């Protein structure tokens, strides 16, 4: 329903948003353009949208909702399909169980025909709230893409299973419960994971429910609760896809399979683990399409980027990439290998498992049952005339010594190692059986990394932090503080939270790094079996070594992440 211009303009005049001369002029222009007054005031008078729409809501005696900054209740989306939402330009955003009321955003809250239709369709009391029509159109796809429940609810109904009050008695086996609905639920879980950039999916059984969680941008979030009665069937379906033993429920198993959506293809590494109430499934998603990110896209910049680009040109030696599980080590190594992957270079990799398949590179997967371990594979590699060798992980004495031997005989070796920082990789290598005098002669560098969440570009806002925070940042950065901030106030960014980032303020991730280069003086410290702390102090004094924390702080000053994220991950 469109209001006439006069009451609209009178209310804005009363609020001192516009003066009477503007009101008179706007009224003539609105009538001349033959468009709704709110559209004119937003587009041509440049009055803030929220003021215009709140004014309209007041005149219509209805509620106003800013749908772009509202958390959408997944349960609300169950009642109105995406097709009907697009057809009627509405978006359900909240469902009140106590009053059995569904709250729906619309550009026309006085449309009684639509109100009656949705009340009959849903069997619920409908309360319309006014919002901007363009916002609804833009938000429908985003809101429904972030909801997993409508498709799953449909499949559960096909199974005759209720999502609430489900009894845990009478567990059905895979054959009894019916294949098609279970397949649909598994596909929906995986499609949601791909669509929302999840790196892992956890399906966990409890006493009276089965929980589905997704790791998105490094953080686990619960997105779906299923009846415990279908958990065993879900596990069986995933085991079939992964070529795992369905009847083996007492021992952990591993498998993998490929899943295709309309736009993407992903490899899934699957792990099952028997826990108290059944088997827990964890699936790691590895994208097969989209290409590898560049070193710059990963977050390497400045001196770090320049040093890495120089180091990988070395004809022989060892370059280590260190960090805990899930810190992006494999992605960094593959981005480096993609640079070195030339027709005149023989690259061989030994991995557990092969995470990315790269044309032109000879990739081997470890298979201990067949006698193919990191050590035996590395020994065979030396007879394959390689130029560059990638060892997925150095984890024992034999692999350590063979990697050092490969570097000594003229090969460039890349490897990962589980250490907390770059400097501790040296004592770790010694602990794994490497001779200090050999480590010092072949080790080129150790790159330690972590991953922090990126600030959502869509809702990024800048602010000036308190003086004590500014002083702390300057103290941590020391010589690395940008010259612009040496005398002026520091500005930081944060995500206000929007529908695009699911109101977290973060969207995507970026790496923070520290690079320890092995110089002659550091080599002497290695020979003396000096501590990691002293090795790092030498690097700081010799070539201005930058820690991960400092790199994180610099990325916060650039508006890429927050200080809180840098501290959470670096410390």
């Amino acid at each position: 329903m469109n209001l006439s211009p006069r009451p609209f303009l009178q209310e804005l005049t009363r609020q001192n948003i516009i003066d009477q001369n503007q009101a008179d002029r706007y009224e003539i222009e609105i009538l001349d353009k033959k468009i709704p007054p709110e559209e004119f005031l937003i587009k041509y008078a440049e009055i803030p949208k929220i003021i215009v729409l709140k004014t309209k809501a007041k005149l219509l005696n209805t509620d106003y909702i800013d749908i772009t900054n509202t958390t959408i209740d997944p349960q609300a989306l169950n009642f109105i399909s995406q097709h009907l939402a697009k057809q009627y330009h509405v978006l359900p955003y909240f469902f009140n169980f106590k009053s059995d009321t569904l709250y729906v955003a619309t550009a026309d809250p006085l449309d009684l025909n639509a109100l009656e239709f949705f009340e009959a369709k849903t069997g619920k009391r409908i309360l319309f709230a006014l919002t901007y029509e363009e916002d609804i159109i833009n938000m429908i796809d985003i809101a429904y893409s972030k909801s997993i429940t409508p498709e799953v609810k449909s499949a559960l109904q096909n199974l005759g299973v209720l999502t609430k009050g489900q009894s845990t008695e009478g567990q059905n086996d895979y054959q009894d419960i019916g294949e098609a609905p279970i397949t649909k639920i598994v596909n929906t879980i995986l499609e949601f994971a791909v669509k929302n950039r999840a790196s892992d999916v956890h399906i966990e059984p409890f006493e009276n429910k089965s929980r589905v969680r997704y790791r998105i941008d490094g953080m686990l979030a619960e997105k779906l609760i299923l009846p415990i009665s279908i958990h065993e069937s879900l596990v069986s379906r995933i085991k079939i896809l992964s070529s795992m033993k369905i009847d083996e429920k007492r021992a952990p198993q591993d498998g993998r399979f490929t899943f295709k959506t309309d736009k993407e293809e992903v490899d899934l590494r699957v792990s099952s683990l028997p826990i108290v109430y059944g088997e827990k499934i964890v699936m790691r998603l590895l994208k097969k399409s989209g290409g590898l990110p560049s070193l710059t896209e990963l977050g390497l910049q400045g001196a770090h980027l320049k040093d890495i680009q120089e180091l990988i040109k070395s004809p022989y030696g060892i370059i280590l990439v260190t960090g805990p599980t899930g810190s992006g080590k494999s992605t960094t190594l593959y981005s480096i290998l993609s640079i070195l992957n030339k027709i005149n270079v023989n690259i061989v990799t030994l991995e557990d498992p092969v995470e990315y398949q790269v044309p032109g590179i000879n990739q081997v997967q470890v298979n201990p049952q067949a006698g193919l371990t990191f050590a035996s594979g590395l020994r065979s590699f030396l007879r394959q005339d390689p130029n560059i060798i990638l060892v997925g992980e150095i984890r024992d004495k034999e692999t350590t010594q063979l990697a050092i031997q490969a570097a000594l005989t003229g090969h460039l070796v890349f490897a990962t190692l589980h250490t907390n920082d770059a400097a501790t990789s040296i004592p770790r290598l010694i602990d794994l059986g490497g001779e200090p005098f050999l480590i010092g002669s072949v080790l080129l560098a150790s790159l330690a990394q972590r991953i922090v969440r990126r600030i959502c570009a869509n809702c990024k806002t800048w602010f000036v932090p308190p003086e004590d925070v500014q002083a702390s940042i300057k103290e941590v950065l020391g010589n690395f503080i940008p010259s612009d901030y040496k005398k002026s106030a520091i500005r930081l960014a944060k995500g206000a939270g929007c529908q695009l980032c699911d109101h977290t303020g973060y969207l995507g991730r970026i790496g923070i790094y520290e690079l320890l280069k092995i110089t002659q003086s550091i080599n002497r410290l290695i020979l003396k079996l000096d501590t990691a702390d002293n090795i790092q102090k030498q690097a700081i004094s010799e070539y201005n070594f930058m820690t991960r924390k400092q790199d994180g702080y610099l990325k916060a000053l650039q508006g890429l992440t927050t200080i809180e994220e840098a501290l959470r991950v670096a410390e």
Side-chain angles (χ1 to χ4, degrees):
M1 177 183 178
N2 291 324
L3 290 167
S4 62
R6 185 159 296 176
F8 217 127
L9 296 167
Q10 285 175 343
E11 179 60 27
L12 290 173
T13 304
R14 192 189 65 77
Q15 296 177 35
N16 294 320
I17 305 298
I18 59 175
D19 57 35
Q20 190 58 50
N21 288 335
Q22 288 175 308
D24 293 339
R25 188 172 79 253
Y26 290 160
E27 183 175 4
I28 294 169
E29 291 183 25
I30 290 169
L31 294 171
D32 183 54
K33 290 183 179 292
K34 297 179 181 178
I35 60 174
E38 63 269 26
E39 186 178 333
F40 173 87
L41 292 166
I42 293 170
K43 291 184 177 179
Y44 298 101
E46 297 183 354
I47 297 174
K49 180 171 63 178
I50 189 170
I51 293 175
V52 173
L53 294 175
K54 280 187 173 181
T55 301
K56 182 176 180 179
K58 182 179 181 180
L59 292 170
L60 295 177
N61 194 26
T62 189
D63 291 327
Y64 163 74
I65 180 77
D66 180 2
I67 202 67
T68 61
N69 286 307
T70 299
T71 301
I72 306 297
D73 178 3
Q75 298 297 324
L77 298 172
N78 285 341
F79 297 103
I80 297 176
S81 69
Q82 186 173 358
H83 171 73
L84 286 176
K86 286 185 173 182
Q87 183 179 340
Y88 284 86
H89 289 180
V90 298
L91 186 58
Y93 63 91
F94 179 67
F95 178 64
N96 188 322
F97 283 97
K98 290 183 179 179
S99 62
D100 207 30
T101 302
L102 182 65
Y103 292 80
V104 179
T106 175
D108 189 0
L110 299 187
D111 186 347
L112 296 179
N113 290 331
L115 184 72
E116 290 174 2
F117 171 78
F118 284 118
E119 284 189 337
K121 183 78 176 173
T122 63
K124 309 297 177 187
R125 179 177 174 234
I126 301 291
L127 277 183
F128 278 156
L130 175 72
T131 195
Y132 194 45
E133 188 168 25
E134 283 187 18
D135 288 343
I136 293 177
I137 294 168
N138 292 335
M139 293 306 302
I140 286 174
D141 284 338
I142 295 173
Y144 280 91
S145 73
K146 291 188 177 293
S147 171
I148 192 173
T149 48
E151 295 88 346
V152 172
K153 183 181 177 183
S154 171
L156 291 174
Q157 288 171 342
N158 290 338
L159 289 169
V161 177
L162 298 176
T163 55
K164 292 173 66 178
Q166 173 66 36
S167 169
T168 59
E169 298 177 0
Q171 301 286 330
N172 295 322
D173 63 20
Y174 182 79
Q175 287 77 17
D176 290 341
I177 204 163
E179 182 177 350
I182 289 295
T183 300
K184 183 178 180 183
I185 292 173
V186 171
N187 288 348
T188 302
I189 289 170
L190 294 176
E191 285 170 3
F192 184 86
V194 174
K195 196 180 293 183
N196 288 275
R197 304 170 295 100
S199 60
D200 301 86
V201 181
H202 295 235
I203 304 176
E204 305 159 294
F206 292 90
E207 184 177 6
N208 55 7
K209 66 180 181 181
S210 178
R211 179 175 71 177
V212 181
R213 292 191 294 170
Y214 294 85
R215 189 174 295 281
I216 300 172
D217 293 337
M219 306 296 282
L220 273 174
E222 181 183 294
K223 294 292 183 180
L224 182 66
I225 297 294
L226 293 167
I228 189 62
S229 60
I230 72 163
H231 179 82
E232 195 172 328
S233 300
L234 280 179
V235 171
S236 295
R237 174 61 184 163
I238 293 167
K239 281 184 170 182
I240 287 173
L241 291 170
S242 310
S243 301
M244 293 157 65
K245 296 177 182 177
I246 301 177
D247 55 347
E248 178 56 81
K249 301 177 182 179
R250 296 175 297 175
Q253 294 188 67
D254 293 308
R256 67 187 303 160
F257 67 96
T258 299
F259 178 74
K260 293 181 180 180
T261 67
D262 293 339
K263 297 180 180 179
E264 292 188 65
E265 184 176 0
V266 294
D267 273 337
L268 290 107
R269 283 165 41 192
V270 184
S271 171
S272 71
L273 180 71
I275 60 176
V276 174
Y277 293 108
E279 288 181 277
K280 176 181 177 180
I281 294 286
V282 175
M283 295 180 281
R284 165 67 57 89
L285 280 75
L286 304 166
K287 288 189 177 181
K288 294 182 71 172
S289 55
L292 287 164
S294 67
L295 295 179
T296 306
E297 289 169 340
L298 290 175
L300 283 160
Q301 55 188 19
H304 283 160
L305 179 62
K306 183 180 178 182
D307 288 340
I308 283 291
Q309 289 172 334
E310 286 299 317
L311 285 164
I312 64 176
K313 293 177 183 176
S314 304
Y316 63 90
I318 297 176
I319 296 175
L320 295 175
V321 179
T322 77
T325 302
S327 60
K329 301 186 296 294
S330 296
T331 305
T332 299
L333 284 172
Y334 271 105
S335 296
I336 290 172
L337 289 187
S338 67
I339 297 171
L340 300 173
N341 189 13
K342 303 281 193 303
I343 195 70
N344 60 340
V345 176
N346 182 21
I347 302 176
V348 289
T349 76
L350 188 62
E351 305 165 70
D352 183 21
V354 174
E355 294 192 11
Y356 299 94
Q357 295 178 7
V358 183
I361 294 179
N362 305 290
Q363 297 172 270
V364 178
Q365 182 159 319
V366 170
N367 186 353
Q369 294 176 337
L372 180 55
T373 63
F374 280 112
S376 64
L378 192 49
R379 195 178 292 108
S380 300
F381 278 6
L382 298 178
R383 296 190 292 272
Q384 286 285 317
D385 186 31
N387 299 105
I388 297 169
I389 298 171
L390 184 149
V391 183
E393 184 183 345
I394 292 179
R395 57 173 70 157
D396 55 41
K397 181 176 181 180
E398 191 176 7
T399 308
T400 304
Q401 293 176 342
L402 283 168
I404 291 171
Q405 190 63 37
L408 284 170
T409 52
H411 304 92
L412 182 58
V413 179
F414 294 94
T416 70
L417 197 64
H418 289 284
T419 62
N420 288 328
D421 53 45
T424 53
S425 62
I426 295 168
R428 177 65 177 146
L429 278 182
I430 295 171
D431 185 52
L432 285 169
E435 294 289 347
F437 70 95
L438 293 178
I439 292 171
S441 61
V442 298
L443 187 61
L444 298 173
S446 176
L447 178 73
Q449 67 178 73
R450 298 288 193 278
I451 306 177
V452 294
R453 291 180 291 172
R454 272 182 181 269
I455 295 172
C456 175
N458 188 57
C459 60
K460 183 190 293 186
T461 58
W462 291 87
F463 67 98
V464 177
E467 289 186 7
D468 59 331
V469 175
Q470 295 195 47
S472 174
I473 292 171
K474 289 179 180 179
E475 182 182 354
V476 168
L477 285 175
N479 295 332
F480 295 112
I481 188 79
S483 55
D484 296 348
Y485 289 130
K486 285 183 178 178
K487 295 182 179 179
S488 63
I490 286 174
R491 291 172 70 243
L492 297 175
K494 63 180 180 180
C498 64
Q499 196 66 38
L500 196 64
C501 63
D502 208 13
H503 295 274
T504 61
Y506 298 99
L507 188 65
R509 292 192 288 174
I510 192 170
I512 57 173
Y513 303 88
E514 61 184 38
L515 180 65
L516 180 76
K517 296 181 292 181
I518 307 304
T519 61
Q520 288 185 353
S521 53
I522 290 176
N523 193 359
R524 286 193 289 270
L525 294 178
I526 295 172
L527 291 172
K528 289 164 54 181
L529 300 180
D530 217 327
T531 64
D533 283 344
N534 286 340
I535 289 172
Q536 181 167 308
K537 286 175 184 175
Q538 176 61 32
I540 291 171
S541 64
E542 189 173 349
Y543 55 83
N544 225 6
F545 172 84
M546 182 190 295
T547 65
R548 288 192 318 274
K549 184 176 179 181
Q550 289 172 323
D551 191 31
Y553 272 36
L554 280 178
K555 287 182 168 73
L557 293 186
Q558 295 167 17
L560 297 173
T561 189
T562 61
I563 293 292
E564 292 80 7
E565 268 294 287
L567 287 172
R568 178 183 72 83
V569 172
E571 295 190 341

